[in-house]
Amino acid sequence: MTDLPPAPFPLDALPSDQPVPALAGLRRRVPVARQDRRERLRATFGPVARLWHAARRRIRSGLRIARARPVLPVLALCAVPALAAAQAWGPDMALFRIGNAVGVIGGETAIEPMPFEQAGQSFPGSAFYYLAPDAAAGQPLADGAHWEGDSFAGPAARALRAGGTALDRTRALTCLTQAIYYEAASEPDAGQRAVAQVVLNRVAHPAYPKTVCGVVYQGAERTTGCQFTFTCDGALARVPNRLFWQRAETVARAALAGFVYAPVGLSTHYHTIAVHPYWADSLSYVGTIGAHRFYRFGGPAGAPATFNVAAYRGGEPVAAPPPRAAGLTSPDATLDPLAIERAYAQGYNAAQAAALAPVNTVPMSRIGGFGAPPANHPAPAYAPALQARGGDALYTAQTLPEGQGVRPEYAGSGQWIARPGS
């Protein structure tokens, strides 16, 4: 058996319950500082040394713990801070302080802010998150704010699944990813899904194009009036971050596969909480997610029956802004959300009025009765054989009772008994 490595300190440094005469005489001759240090060493390393020598005796007696030999010194040294008393280290305790603990203030440890919580140490786009006190738990961030599991008032949209050719699906995925990335790259998953749902809601609405790219780049041919700001403010010139782009693409792929984000319902408009567009007070407010407030049409324009997801048939244009048209410097009046809402309300009211209008009924006796065809319908041309047998008279019910007119008890058939609303 090979010899074990020597002990990290001599045996004569062990503390003893009985005073040693030689050491007692030595204590009278050494300075007080050295004596105090030796006492600290005894209190610190004494238990560890006894464990060390006990382990050596067990190894030499034949116990099969040879593999533990190189580990025991390391374990002994690592156990020193745990066995030592805190006051025994004195000023050296600074070596074992927690990294962010800068000192003790009023009996409590003062914690230094983490690097990302200090000015100048955070990366662009990062945000600070802190644990709220228990008293403030459950308070919303803003009026109408909702989270992933909450549901807003109003019906949810129906699932829209991308169709068409492979090129159509690729273009739709690209355009929807662009909208999510440039409009909500720093938003949580709920905010990105809400933006994707607004785009698909517009695809299903008759007032907007029937393609994803058409909705995203609608109005971009004008110097002002684009429906999504990034399509005409130069944001597309910036190279996207790969990580954030892949995250936005994941959300877009799920939305085009039929995922419906129900909390935004049938919303077709949104804006950041930093602005207040003119139409915000007129449309129906749905809720706030992250940094965006969402709205839907009121009245017939926002009714669930108005949205038709089956209208999507592919035919996606190029996933890029259309060329700028000369002379188009003002917004398109047909894209005004308030004008769209008013037009649908007027059309609905006109249809309702037409449905309630009186119906001009014509007595059956004026259209030839049951026995003869109407006067404005000429008799068909029969074959010579049928014409010789009587022609049209063969197919006229001349033998029915009252065949040439309407019986008096049925003369008012088809007329109103009582006019609705009268």
Side-chain angles (χ1 to χ4, degrees):
M1 176 180 294
T2 59
D3 293 337
L4 294 174
F9 33 81
L11 284 175
D12 57 5
L14 294 177
S16 175
D17 296 336
Q18 302 295 329
V20 180
L23 292 180
L26 182 62
R27 289 194 187 103
R28 291 193 295 269
R29 294 192 298 269
V30 298
V32 177
R34 294 184 58 188
Q35 181 177 349
D36 294 341
R37 184 172 62 181
R38 179 170 296 180
E39 292 296 333
R40 290 199 301 270
L41 289 175
R42 288 177 182 274
T44 301
F45 296 105
V48 179
R50 283 195 293 271
L51 292 175
W52 166 258
H53 289 287
R56 292 187 62 180
R57 287 193 298 271
R58 296 181 64 183
I59 293 174
R60 289 177 176 178
S61 65
L63 295 178
R64 296 182 180 181
I65 55 173
R67 293 183 179 179
R69 295 178 201 168
V71 182
L72 288 176
V74 178
L75 293 177
L77 294 178
C78 293
V80 169
L83 296 175
Q87 58 270 20
W89 292 93
D92 295 335
M93 281 297 295
L95 299 176
F96 298 95
R97 288 176 181 169
I98 300 176
N100 293 337
V102 296
V104 177
I105 301 176
E108 296 183 359
T109 302
I111 304 299
E112 180 183 352
M114 296 296 290
F116 66 87
E117 296 177 339
Q118 302 178 14
Q121 299 296 325
S122 59
F123 59 89
S126 63
F128 300 147
Y129 296 93
Y130 301 94
L131 291 177
D134 293 339
Q139 297 295 329
L141 298 180
D143 294 338
H146 292 261
W147 296 104
E148 177 75 23
D150 297 340
S151 296
F152 296 159
R158 289 176 292 175
L160 186 148
R161 292 176 174 82
T165 64
L167 179 60
D168 291 332
R169 293 191 292 271
T170 301
R171 289 178 173 178
L173 178 62
T174 301
C175 290
L176 190 57
T177 303
Q178 289 174 338
I180 297 171
Y181 177 84
Y182 289 105
E183 294 284 312
S186 60
E187 290 292 301
D189 290 346
Q192 293 194 350
R193 291 173 180 173
V195 170
Q197 190 62 54
V198 167
V199 174
L200 298 186
N201 286 348
R202 287 197 173 195
V203 174
H205 198 278
Y208 297 97
K210 297 296 168 238
T211 60
V212 177
C213 292
V215 165
V216 171
Y217 288 104
Q218 187 178 22
E221 69 278 2
R222 299 171 177 268
T223 56
T224 181
C226 51
Q227 296 295 290
F228 294 88
T229 309
F230 77 92
T231 63
C232 57
D233 65 353
L236 289 171
R238 300 194 301 267
V239 179
N241 179 278
R242 181 180 296 275
L243 176 63
F244 285 91
W245 178 269
Q246 291 176 348
R247 177 172 174 250
E249 186 179 53
T250 301
V251 176
R253 195 182 303 276
L256 292 174
F259 177 84
V260 175
Y261 188 63
V264 295
L266 298 174
S267 298
T268 52
H269 294 78
Y270 65 84
H271 66 80
T272 64
I273 57 178
V275 300
H276 188 79
Y278 69 94
W279 45 259
D281 295 332
S282 300
L283 298 184
S284 298
Y285 172 68
V286 175
T288 300
I289 296 180
H292 291 104
R293 294 169 61 88
F294 293 85
Y295 301 81
R296 64 180 177 87
F297 285 123
T306 306
F307 295 82
N308 182 18
V309 295
Y312 181 75
R313 291 290 187 271
E316 293 285 348
V318 178
R324 289 287 175 86
L328 297 180
T329 58
S330 60
D332 188 357
T334 61
L335 299 180
D336 184 354
L338 302 185
I340 295 175
E341 192 176 62
R342 286 193 300 268
Y344 271 82
Q346 293 173 0
Y348 178 79
N349 294 334
Q352 287 291 92
L356 296 177
V359 179
N360 296 325
T361 59
V362 180
M364 296 301 294
S365 59
R366 296 185 54 185
I367 59 173
F370 295 101
N376 58 345
H377 285 261
Y382 296 101
L386 290 176
Q387 192 67 32
R389 294 173 52 190
D392 193 61
L394 296 175
Y395 302 97
T396 303
Q398 300 292 339
T399 60
L400 293 177
E402 305 259 350
Q404 299 300 318
V406 179
R407 299 177 61 176
E409 58 267 28
Y410 300 119
S413 178
Q415 299 183 10
W416 286 103
I417 299 175
R419 183 73 57 186
S422 59

